[in-house]
Amino acid sequence: MTFTRLDRSTPADWDRIAHESVEAWAIVPDRILGMLRSLAGITTGFAVDQLVHGLQTATRAERAGADDDLVVAALCHDIGKAISEPNHPAVAAALLTPYVREEVAWVVLVHQDFQGRHYYAHLGKDPSARDRHRDGPAYPLAERFADEWDQASFDPDYATLPLEHFEPLVRSTFAAPRRL
Ligand SMILES: [Fe+2]
């Protein structure tokens, strides 16, 4: 019998919960892959859908010699759009935070402000939005992420690698959190 209210739980209950929670880590890679697949068909006016955009961003990062944390972050940086566009960078950063080094999660968190240099003027927003992150932990990396990989990755004619290529990296990255 387990408890029905927290104030009646016991140390033995919490031993069991801790054990089963660690076992549940095993489903995370498949959940992430499922969320990525669900981005297929979300086009919203762009030349490629959000799955291809993430794959292309990751392909460019990998071909530029980026390390595994950056490649998986490139693949997943817009994964929040599987649910909704507003606040999607924070959703993606929160998903990545336990699994990649801190500065990489930060790059994802702020990526839209860095992207803004390339299109915010069309929306009447400040193209210099990235300047407010000058004192952040990885400003040059965030510039490279946005300017070289993310903002360039809406090209249907680019030789984008398929999700299967990145699947081993997704499985190893999300196998277990590095930080709880
Ligand atoms: Fe993007």
Side-chain angles (χ1 to χ4, degrees):
M1 247 331 241
T2 188
F3 55 89
T4 57
R5 318 165 30 126
L6 286 178
D7 61 7
R8 292 182 189 157
S9 63
T10 66
D13 289 325
W14 286 97
D15 276 353
R16 187 186 64 253
I17 289 165
H19 183 75
E20 292 189 18
S21 295
V22 169
E23 284 184 342
W25 291 351
I27 67 170
V28 175
D30 281 321
R31 291 291 164 91
I32 295 291
L33 288 165
M35 286 182 74
L36 289 168
R37 287 188 196 103
S38 78
L39 296 170
I42 301 177
T43 305
T44 63
F46 292 91
V48 300
D49 68 24
Q50 286 297 324
L51 174 58
V52 172
H53 171 64
L55 289 168
Q56 193 170 130
T57 306
T59 301
R60 290 183 191 278
E62 182 174 297
R63 288 178 179 157
D67 62 43
D68 285 352
D69 278 9
L70 273 169
V71 172
V72 82
L75 181 66
C76 297
H77 75 279
D78 283 333
I79 199 169
K81 291 184 180 178
I83 307 298
S84 76
E85 198 279 335
N87 209 31
H88 77 273
V91 172
L95 281 175
L96 286 161
T97 289
Y99 301 97
V100 298
R101 63 184 189 279
E102 218 165 336
E103 66 170 11
V104 173
W106 180 82
V107 165
V108 171
L109 179 66
V110 299
H111 80 267
Q112 190 157 275
D113 285 341
F114 282 74
Q115 293 281 77
R117 172 174 294 174
H118 308 287
Y119 72 95
Y120 270 8
H122 305 315
L123 301 173
K125 295 167 70 174
D126 178 11
S128 304
R130 66 174 65 182
D131 290 353
R132 73 174 77 116
H133 303 297
R134 276 271 171 217
D135 297 328
Y139 187 92
L141 184 59
E143 288 208 297
R144 189 173 191 214
F145 187 97
D147 299 342
E148 295 181 29
W149 307 332
D150 192 3
Q151 70 91 17
S153 292
F154 299 93
D155 182 354
D157 297 324
Y158 182 79
T160 301
L161 292 166
L163 185 57
E164 292 69 32
H165 172 83
F166 297 104
E167 188 172 328
L169 177 60
V170 170
R171 293 200 178 280
S172 60
T173 301
F174 290 98
R178 288 183 222 170
R179 289 177 280 144
L180 295 173

PDB file of all heavy atoms in Angstrom, residues 50 53 57 77-78 81 111 115 150 154, ligand 1:
ATOM      1  N   GLN A  50       9.580  22.908 -38.866  1.00  0.00           N
ATOM      2  CA  GLN A  50      10.437  23.080 -37.682  1.00  0.00           C
ATOM      3  C   GLN A  50      11.342  21.879 -37.436  1.00  0.00           C
ATOM      4  O   GLN A  50      12.407  22.029 -36.836  1.00  0.00           O
ATOM      5  CB  GLN A  50       9.572  23.372 -36.452  1.00  0.00           C
ATOM      6  CG  GLN A  50       9.004  24.791 -36.442  1.00  0.00           C
ATOM      7  CD  GLN A  50      10.094  25.851 -36.376  1.00  0.00           C
ATOM      8  OE1 GLN A  50      11.115  25.677 -35.727  1.00  0.00           O
ATOM      9  NE2 GLN A  50       9.880  26.960 -37.060  1.00  0.00           N
ATOM     10  N   HIS A  53      14.186  22.526 -39.838  1.00  0.00           N
ATOM     11  CA  HIS A  53      14.972  23.656 -39.330  1.00  0.00           C
ATOM     12  C   HIS A  53      15.934  23.215 -38.218  1.00  0.00           C
ATOM     13  O   HIS A  53      17.110  23.573 -38.226  1.00  0.00           O
ATOM     14  CB  HIS A  53      14.053  24.763 -38.810  1.00  0.00           C
ATOM     15  CG  HIS A  53      14.781  25.843 -38.083  1.00  0.00           C
ATOM     16  ND1 HIS A  53      15.714  26.662 -38.691  1.00  0.00           N
ATOM     17  CD2 HIS A  53      14.758  26.209 -36.770  1.00  0.00           C
ATOM     18  CE1 HIS A  53      16.214  27.493 -37.791  1.00  0.00           C
ATOM     19  NE2 HIS A  53      15.653  27.230 -36.623  1.00  0.00           N
ATOM     20  N   THR A  57      19.982  23.121 -38.523  1.00  0.00           N
ATOM     21  CA  THR A  57      20.814  23.857 -37.568  1.00  0.00           C
ATOM     22  C   THR A  57      21.856  22.914 -36.956  1.00  0.00           C
ATOM     23  O   THR A  57      23.043  23.267 -36.833  1.00  0.00           O
ATOM     24  CB  THR A  57      19.936  24.484 -36.465  1.00  0.00           C
ATOM     25  OG1 THR A  57      18.908  25.270 -37.073  1.00  0.00           O
ATOM     26  CG2 THR A  57      20.758  25.375 -35.543  1.00  0.00           C
ATOM     27  N   HIS A  77      16.790  23.196 -30.164  1.00  0.00           N
ATOM     28  CA  HIS A  77      16.646  24.570 -29.660  1.00  0.00           C
ATOM     29  C   HIS A  77      15.233  25.143 -29.841  1.00  0.00           C
ATOM     30  O   HIS A  77      14.844  26.061 -29.126  1.00  0.00           O
ATOM     31  CB  HIS A  77      17.688  25.510 -30.293  1.00  0.00           C
ATOM     32  CG  HIS A  77      17.396  25.893 -31.704  1.00  0.00           C
ATOM     33  ND1 HIS A  77      17.687  25.087 -32.783  1.00  0.00           N
ATOM     34  CD2 HIS A  77      16.807  26.998 -32.219  1.00  0.00           C
ATOM     35  CE1 HIS A  77      17.308  25.683 -33.891  1.00  0.00           C
ATOM     36  NE2 HIS A  77      16.766  26.854 -33.586  1.00  0.00           N
ATOM     37  N   ASP A  78      14.488  24.617 -30.799  1.00  0.00           N
ATOM     38  CA  ASP A  78      13.113  25.095 -31.006  1.00  0.00           C
ATOM     39  C   ASP A  78      12.078  24.035 -30.633  1.00  0.00           C
ATOM     40  O   ASP A  78      10.918  24.118 -31.053  1.00  0.00           O
ATOM     41  CB  ASP A  78      12.906  25.519 -32.470  1.00  0.00           C
ATOM     42  CG  ASP A  78      13.536  26.880 -32.778  1.00  0.00           C
ATOM     43  OD1 ASP A  78      13.663  27.713 -31.845  1.00  0.00           O
ATOM     44  OD2 ASP A  78      13.902  27.107 -33.947  1.00  0.00           O
ATOM     45  N   LYS A  81       8.446  24.594 -29.660  1.00  0.00           N
ATOM     46  CA  LYS A  81       7.388  24.872 -30.637  1.00  0.00           C
ATOM     47  C   LYS A  81       6.490  23.658 -30.865  1.00  0.00           C
ATOM     48  O   LYS A  81       5.451  23.770 -31.514  1.00  0.00           O
ATOM     49  CB  LYS A  81       7.994  25.352 -31.957  1.00  0.00           C
ATOM     50  CG  LYS A  81       8.631  26.734 -31.839  1.00  0.00           C
ATOM     51  CD  LYS A  81       9.139  27.220 -33.183  1.00  0.00           C
ATOM     52  CE  LYS A  81       9.777  28.599 -33.051  1.00  0.00           C
ATOM     53  NZ  LYS A  81      10.321  29.091 -34.344  1.00  0.00           N
ATOM     54  N   HIS A 111      18.503  32.481 -27.504  1.00  0.00           N
ATOM     55  CA  HIS A 111      18.785  32.447 -28.946  1.00  0.00           C
ATOM     56  C   HIS A 111      17.890  33.379 -29.751  1.00  0.00           C
ATOM     57  O   HIS A 111      18.323  33.956 -30.748  1.00  0.00           O
ATOM     58  CB  HIS A 111      18.740  31.009 -29.489  1.00  0.00           C
ATOM     59  CG  HIS A 111      17.380  30.451 -29.759  1.00  0.00           C
ATOM     60  ND1 HIS A 111      16.678  29.718 -28.844  1.00  0.00           N
ATOM     61  CD2 HIS A 111      16.591  30.535 -30.868  1.00  0.00           C
ATOM     62  CE1 HIS A 111      15.528  29.346 -29.379  1.00  0.00           C
ATOM     63  NE2 HIS A 111      15.429  29.833 -30.596  1.00  0.00           N
ATOM     64  N   GLN A 115      18.927  35.954 -32.664  1.00  0.00           N
ATOM     65  CA  GLN A 115      18.327  35.856 -34.001  1.00  0.00           C
ATOM     66  C   GLN A 115      17.753  37.200 -34.444  1.00  0.00           C
ATOM     67  O   GLN A 115      17.708  37.508 -35.632  1.00  0.00           O
ATOM     68  CB  GLN A 115      17.178  34.841 -33.987  1.00  0.00           C
ATOM     69  CG  GLN A 115      17.574  33.417 -33.765  1.00  0.00           C
ATOM     70  CD  GLN A 115      18.127  32.798 -35.032  1.00  0.00           C
ATOM     71  OE1 GLN A 115      19.276  33.062 -35.405  1.00  0.00           O
ATOM     72  NE2 GLN A 115      17.338  31.993 -35.686  1.00  0.00           N
ATOM     73  N   ASP A 150      21.746  28.900 -36.807  1.00  0.00           N
ATOM     74  CA  ASP A 150      20.291  28.975 -36.648  1.00  0.00           C
ATOM     75  C   ASP A 150      19.631  29.828 -37.735  1.00  0.00           C
ATOM     76  O   ASP A 150      18.729  29.371 -38.453  1.00  0.00           O
ATOM     77  CB  ASP A 150      19.979  29.509 -35.243  1.00  0.00           C
ATOM     78  CG  ASP A 150      18.521  29.375 -34.843  1.00  0.00           C
ATOM     79  OD1 ASP A 150      17.732  28.811 -35.613  1.00  0.00           O
ATOM     80  OD2 ASP A 150      18.186  29.838 -33.733  1.00  0.00           O
ATOM     81  N   PHE A 154      16.990  27.726 -42.925  1.00  0.00           N
ATOM     82  CA  PHE A 154      15.622  27.651 -43.458  1.00  0.00           C
ATOM     83  C   PHE A 154      15.658  27.319 -44.949  1.00  0.00           C
ATOM     84  O   PHE A 154      14.794  27.737 -45.720  1.00  0.00           O
ATOM     85  CB  PHE A 154      14.888  28.976 -43.211  1.00  0.00           C
ATOM     86  CG  PHE A 154      14.761  29.331 -41.742  1.00  0.00           C
ATOM     87  CD1 PHE A 154      15.702  30.132 -41.112  1.00  0.00           C
ATOM     88  CD2 PHE A 154      13.709  28.828 -40.984  1.00  0.00           C
ATOM     89  CE1 PHE A 154      15.602  30.445 -39.756  1.00  0.00           C
ATOM     90  CE2 PHE A 154      13.596  29.124 -39.634  1.00  0.00           C
ATOM     91  CZ  PHE A 154      14.544  29.934 -39.021  1.00  0.00           C
TER      92      PHE A 154
HETATM   93 FE    FE B   1      15.792  28.313 -34.768  1.00  0.00          FE
END
